[in-house]
Amino acid sequence: MGRFRTVFVVCGLMVMLNAHFVANAQDSRTDSLIQLLSRSKEDSNKVNLLNQISAADIQSPSALDYAQQAVTLSDKIKYNKGKALAYKNIGLHHFIKSDFIRADENWRQAQKLYAQIRDEAGLANILNNLGSIQYNLGNLSSAIEFFFKSLEASQKASDTLRTVTALNNVGLIYMTKPNTHDLAIDYLNKALKLGELIKDSANMGLSYVNLGEVYYEQKNDSAALYNCFKAKELLHPNDEILPYLLNNIGKIYSRKGQNDLALKYHEEAFAKATEIGSKLFMAQASLSMANLYKKQDLLGKSMLYFSKASDLALEIKAGPELQRAYRGLSEAYYATDDYQNAYRYSNLSAKLADSLYKYAADSMQLKYEVGIKEKQIDLLTKDKDLKDLELKRQKIAKNGLIAGLGLVFLIIGILYRDYRTKVKTNKLLDHQKAEIEGLLLNILPAEVATELQQEGNATPKYFEQASVLFTDFKGFTRMADALSPQEVVAALNECFMAFDDIIERNNLEKIKTIGDSYMCAGGIPRADPNHVMNIVRASFEILEFMRGWNKVRAEKGLSSWELRIGIHVGPVVAGVVGKKKYAYDIWGSTVNIASRMESAGEIGQVNISETLYELIKDQYDCSYRGKISAKNIGDIDMYFVNHLKTEVEEVELTKYAS
């Protein structure tokens, strides 16, 4: 099961949301404020009153109306602090509804105003909220930049509450990578201690939520549940983050195998998310239920909830959730042998990477435009200096002439320097282009890489006959548990690099590695009449390598790694999946049967299907070993490949002797 992912950074917004809960408990006070509004003069007090009413019921359409009135009146009376607060309320309304684009527009306006009036507390609040948007759009580097700026501003303002908020969100960013989990726990505990100091139950609850998430990722379910239930005790029953917390508790129970409890909390999360109108949390709960049903092999229900999640995520442009839904649908369709839909949703999942980075691209465009304006200012300054120089030259002819000549040489020097810089830049770009092309050829077959470069896409191709080989190490999980992660990766890398050399030498195509499994194919991306003999020969070379490798390990007192190999031959579809992080892959029942040959094989043996046996039986001595059942195909006869027949070996020796 994947880790929790807090895609909705609410800890920065709890200060504002608390006003909503208080207001709901004091409807009579809100009515009094509205009555007072009708008798108010058009001054700063009326602006503040409008903002209070807007914040009291921030989710309602009327909140936007009151906040817009506050903006209009603030403009009229030149009251920037009230205008900034109004823009903050407008942005909060849109953020709660998952309209991140409009939320960003209004919070940017508030940021400018708070900076102008040097309101560090208000600036800390808005910087934090802008970081929340960046987080939701998947731009983590930009998000943590905003959160650290918020932390700095809150400390300048001596605002403990906003300091707690910023610490929580910095911890949240560090939660996204396993190697920064210790930093995440450190920041979250700092936030928790400050929250306890000021008795801020909302932020304390969020610290517990995030600590529960880190411990879940570390597979410490007891600590994860403890922190989640501590959060549930502290959070308000109508808290905006409660659906997310309930969904997380469901995930913990799911991993513990308590499916009934898991489903109960996922359904409760969906109901609460529906109640507060959060389509993001509705999508997350739907994804959790889809994965739970998938784990129980209830594929019909699983696809239903994956589809519901994709509809919700698409509506609010929640890229990560939409990508997970598409990937889930692809895997579900694949499991039901609907390869056309599986391939379609796999492509949709890959193409979604563009939309995840769209906002970051807009941000870069904004930075570029700002940079252009700064350069224009520099040019104006230089132009003024030149005019001053001309005036001096008119007053003192001799000194003016010397200054003019010096300026000419300076300009020549600058132009020459720019020319040299451009030459170096072009050489660097050419070198980088060559490296990129080399890397592309190392990832994809040459024909596919060329087609991608020329056409922008690669058309999937059908091959009537291709051979597919799978390898797998027996008891890999047990061996991996006995070694450090670095030792496991180093050993796998040593084996797979040797396998790469072997398949390249035998004119085969590496497809991919999946954990400790290695997959390659022959007869693609170009038809090869010798691919069957090549792949069988490669399998024996792999076994020979493993024997030598294990012998060296035995001399060092290390355990042996035992390998199985399975091969099948038949039709496949081959092509490139996605638009980002290109991957050349193959599909079809041939792949599934080859995988079954490997899993049904034995250590140190090459296990092949009857189809492949019929093609090599004249060249290789094989042993029949029974049948195996394959889904949608039936029983398949299996054979071990023992060795080349004597006459074939003699022919081969004669050929090399000549």
Side-chain angles (χ1 to χ4, degrees), residues 67 94 203 221 291 305 315 325 350 365 372 403 465 471 498 545 581:
H94 291 307
N203 267 307
D221 290 345
N291 284 317
Y305 280 97
E315 185 176 348
Q365 177 65 24
I372 290 295
Q465 187 188 76
T471 75
F545 165 78
K581 296 183 180 179

Side-chain angles (χ1 to χ4, degrees), residues 1-4 212-222 224 248-259 262 266 292 295:
M1 178 184 296
R3 67 185 302 281
F4 299 156
E213 182 171 338
V214 178
Y215 287 122
Y216 175 87
E217 176 62 17
Q218 294 179 342
K219 298 184 179 179
N220 188 344
D221 290 345
S222 297
N248 286 357
I249 294 173
K251 290 182 180 180
I252 298 173
Y253 280 125
S254 176
R255 186 164 72 182
K256 289 166 70 70
Q258 297 174 260
N259 294 335
H266 290 325
L292 185 62
K295 186 174 74 170

Side-chain angles (χ1 to χ4, degrees), residues 437 440-441 444-458 576:
E437 289 178 349
L440 187 61
L441 290 174
L444 302 174
E447 295 87 346
V448 177
T450 302
E451 185 178 1
L452 279 171
Q453 289 177 309
Q454 294 177 351
E455 305 295 335
N457 59 72
V576 173

Side-chain angles (χ1 to χ4, degrees), residues 44-305:
S44 60
N45 289 328
K46 185 172 183 178
V47 173
N48 294 335
L49 191 58
L50 286 165
N51 280 326
Q52 288 181 52
I53 297 170
S54 174
D57 192 11
I58 196 65
Q59 294 188 67
S60 70
S62 63
L64 284 179
D65 182 55
Y66 285 116
Q68 192 57 56
Q69 290 182 49
V71 170
T72 303
L73 182 54
S74 296
D75 275 335
K76 184 176 180 180
I77 64 174
K78 310 297 183 186
Y79 182 38
N80 281 345
K81 185 172 183 178
K83 185 178 179 181
L85 182 57
Y87 276 127
K88 184 175 75 171
N89 286 341
I90 294 171
L92 177 58
H93 174 88
H94 291 307
F95 187 88
I96 293 171
K97 301 298 183 184
S98 301
D99 189 347
F100 302 133
I101 302 302
R102 296 178 71 180
D104 180 82
E105 291 173 355
N106 286 279
W107 282 343
R108 296 270 183 183
Q109 294 289 341
Q111 179 193 6
K112 292 178 183 177
L113 292 166
Y114 280 128
Q116 287 174 9
I117 62 178
R118 301 181 186 278
D119 184 340
E120 294 292 343
L123 188 59
N125 195 176
I126 290 300
L127 287 168
N128 186 79
N129 295 352
L130 286 168
S132 301
I133 292 177
Q134 294 291 325
Y135 186 92
N136 279 277
L137 293 172
N139 192 351
L140 299 186
S141 60
S142 181
I144 199 169
E145 183 180 351
F146 275 116
F147 292 149
F148 273 124
K149 287 180 180 178
S150 174
L151 181 59
E152 181 182 359
S154 62
Q155 289 173 341
K156 284 182 182 178
S158 299
D159 190 326
T160 305
L161 183 60
R162 289 191 171 89
T163 300
V164 172
T165 296
L167 287 169
N168 256 330
N169 281 345
V170 171
L172 194 66
I173 297 294
Y174 284 134
M175 287 164 55
T176 60
K177 300 291 182 184
N179 59 347
T180 57
H181 278 177
D182 290 341
L183 282 171
I185 292 173
D186 182 47
Y187 274 94
L188 293 172
N189 278 322
K190 287 178 181 177
L192 186 58
K193 289 179 181 178
L194 282 179
E196 291 172 346
L197 184 66
I198 61 175
K199 295 181 173 56
D200 179 8
S201 60
N203 267 307
M204 287 171 61
L206 287 160
S207 297
Y208 279 122
V209 168
N210 294 334
L211 283 167
E213 182 171 338
V214 178
Y215 287 122
Y216 175 87
E217 176 62 17
Q218 294 179 342
K219 298 184 179 179
N220 188 344
D221 290 345
S222 297
L225 278 175
Y226 169 80
N227 283 278
C228 285
F229 281 115
K230 287 289 291 183
K232 193 170 183 290
E233 291 174 11
L234 288 167
L235 294 177
H236 190 281
N238 294 325
D239 198 298
E240 303 292 333
I241 201 174
L242 191 57
Y244 174 76
L245 174 63
L246 294 169
N247 198 46
N248 286 357
I249 294 173
K251 290 182 180 180
I252 298 173
Y253 280 125
S254 176
R255 186 164 72 182
K256 289 166 70 70
Q258 297 174 260
N259 294 335
D260 291 341
L261 269 176
L263 184 60
K264 171 183 174 294
Y265 278 99
H266 290 325
E267 289 176 340
E268 190 176 344
F270 186 86
K272 180 60 70 174
T274 304
E275 179 183 328
I276 66 174
S278 174
K279 293 180 180 178
L280 179 62
F281 286 157
M282 290 166 65
Q284 290 178 352
S286 297
L287 282 170
S288 296
M289 286 187 278
N291 284 317
L292 185 62
Y293 284 126
K294 177 184 173 184
K295 186 174 74 170
Q296 300 176 73
D297 290 329
L298 300 174
L299 295 180
K301 287 187 176 181
S302 177
M303 284 192 282
L304 176 66
Y305 280 97

Side-chain angles (χ1 to χ4, degrees), residues 320-541:
E321 281 66 33
L322 185 57
Q323 193 170 31
R324 286 166 58 198
Y326 283 158
R327 186 170 62 247
L329 284 168
S330 175
E331 292 171 354
Y333 278 117
Y334 186 84
T336 58
D337 296 333
D338 187 346
Y339 300 120
Q340 183 176 3
N341 276 318
Y343 185 75
R344 180 167 69 91
Y345 279 105
S346 177
N347 272 338
L348 286 173
S349 176
K351 290 178 181 178
L352 196 58
D354 286 342
S355 63
L356 291 178
Y357 292 101
K358 181 180 183 300
Y359 195 89
D362 292 341
S363 176
M364 291 300 295
Q365 177 65 24
L366 180 61
K367 290 180 181 178
Y368 172 77
E369 292 174 356
V370 171
I372 290 295
K373 291 185 181 297
E374 289 175 350
K375 289 182 179 179
Q376 290 174 345
I377 293 172
D378 289 342
L379 289 174
L380 290 173
T381 302
K382 289 180 181 179
D383 186 58
K384 182 177 180 300
D385 291 341
L386 289 174
K387 289 181 180 178
D388 291 342
L389 184 62
E390 180 65 23
L391 291 173
K392 289 181 180 179
R393 189 171 63 231
Q394 291 176 357
K395 292 179 180 180
I396 308 172
K398 184 178 179 180
N399 291 342
L401 179 60
I402 295 173
L405 289 173
L407 182 62
V408 169
F409 284 118
L410 177 62
I411 293 173
I412 292 173
I414 292 172
L415 291 174
Y416 180 72
R417 183 194 62 188
D418 289 345
Y419 168 75
R420 292 293 302 273
T421 301
K422 289 179 180 178
V423 170
K424 290 180 180 179
T425 301
N426 288 336
K427 287 182 178 179
L428 179 61
L429 290 174
D430 290 339
H431 178 68
Q432 290 177 340
K433 180 182 178 183
E435 287 183 339
I436 291 170
E437 289 178 349
L439 180 60
L440 187 61
L441 290 174
N442 198 35
I443 296 172
L444 302 174
E447 295 87 346
V448 177
T450 302
E451 185 178 1
L452 279 171
Q453 289 177 309
Q454 294 177 351
E455 305 295 335
N457 59 72
T459 304
K461 294 182 180 179
Y462 175 81
F463 294 86
E464 183 66 32
Q465 187 188 76
S467 49
V468 182
L469 178 148
F470 277 92
T471 75
D472 191 65
F473 292 100
K474 181 183 178 182
F476 177 79
T477 302
R478 173 180 51 77
M479 292 188 295
D481 289 341
L483 301 173
S484 69
Q486 292 84 357
E487 290 173 326
V488 173
V489 173
L492 275 178
N493 188 52
E494 188 175 355
C495 290
F496 288 169
M497 286 177 65
F499 294 1
D500 288 344
D501 292 337
I502 291 170
I503 69 159
E504 183 178 9
R505 187 164 61 245
N506 285 281
N507 196 31
L508 303 174
E509 186 70 24
K510 178 181 179 180
I511 302 301
K512 59 186 172 184
T513 60
I514 310 167
D516 62 312
S517 177
Y518 187 97
M519 177 184 177
C520 67
I524 62 168
R526 298 172 302 278
D528 180 5
N530 300 317
H531 69 90
V532 171
M533 297 300 294
N534 290 344
I535 204 162
V536 175
R537 182 168 55 251
S539 67
F540 279 100
E541 290 181 15

Side-chain angles (χ1 to χ4, degrees), residues 599-641:
S599 62
E602 292 183 5
I603 297 163
Q605 295 288 348
V606 179
N607 192 38
I608 66 172
S609 65
E610 181 184 20
T611 306
L612 182 57
Y613 166 75
E614 292 296 331
L615 296 174
I616 67 168
K617 64 183 180 181
D618 294 331
Q619 290 82 22
Y620 281 87
D621 178 76
C622 302
S623 301
Y624 179 74
R625 56 184 308 259
K627 298 178 181 291
I628 188 172
S629 178
K631 187 177 180 181
N632 296 328
I633 295 174
D635 292 340
I636 300 175
D637 289 316
M638 299 185 299
Y639 295 82
F640 279 150
V641 184

